[in-house]
Amino acid sequence: MIGRLRRLAGGSLPRFLLVGALGELLYLALYALGWRLTGQATLAIALAGGVCLLVNAVLHARVSFRVPFRCGLMVRYAAIQGFCLALSLGLGALLQAGGAGPVAVGLISLVVWSGCSFLLTRAAFRPAP
């Protein structure tokens, strides 16, 4: 178990976290731009989220897991992110109902979403034998 964790820490996990951090910065910049151009939060979210979904899928394939990007990976990545969103929404609702504050809900859901996304994306983007 310890050896497996060391391999993850020395390999795809740091690259995954770096791509994820860059994706979040890109999202915030695109959201701000979308908000300025449209004045509508939901449209800005949709535009920024759509662009970031595509960019993150490509970067996770090429940088995080070092596999060629193919359209099938995009479909799998979108499904993974949809699952992670649903999981985080459910967990957030449970935590909030249990009395957790907004910062705790945000941080816990971030960790759960990121961890689940890493494990599922790693499995889905595994190079063909």
Side-chain angles (χ1 to χ4, degrees):
M1 175 76 168
I2 298 294
R4 185 176 174 98
L5 289 174
R6 282 189 186 139
R7 282 193 308 276
L8 283 176
S12 57
L13 182 58
R15 293 189 305 266
F16 182 87
L17 293 173
L18 179 63
V19 167
L22 292 174
E24 292 300 323
L25 292 174
L26 176 63
Y27 173 82
L28 291 173
L30 290 174
Y31 173 80
L33 179 63
W35 171 255
R36 281 194 108 113
L37 293 176
T38 67
Q40 297 181 8
T42 53
L43 185 55
I45 290 168
L47 293 171
V51 169
C52 287
L53 187 68
L54 177 60
V55 169
N56 283 349
V58 172
L59 289 178
H60 280 311
R62 301 297 300 144
V63 175
S64 298
F65 303 110
R66 298 182 176 164
V67 296
F69 180 77
R70 293 190 170 79
C71 289
L73 290 179
M74 183 64 217
V75 173
R76 283 185 253 160
Y77 186 73
I80 288 167
Q81 295 312 308
F83 173 78
C84 291
L85 171 62
L87 179 65
S88 293
L89 286 171
L91 178 62
L94 287 173
L95 289 168
Q96 190 173 15
V103 173
V105 171
L107 290 174
I108 292 168
S109 64
L110 169 72
V111 169
V112 168
W113 188 327
S114 298
C116 183
S117 177
F118 172 73
L119 293 172
L120 293 173
T121 304
R122 184 171 184 264
F125 284 30
R126 188 160 287 158

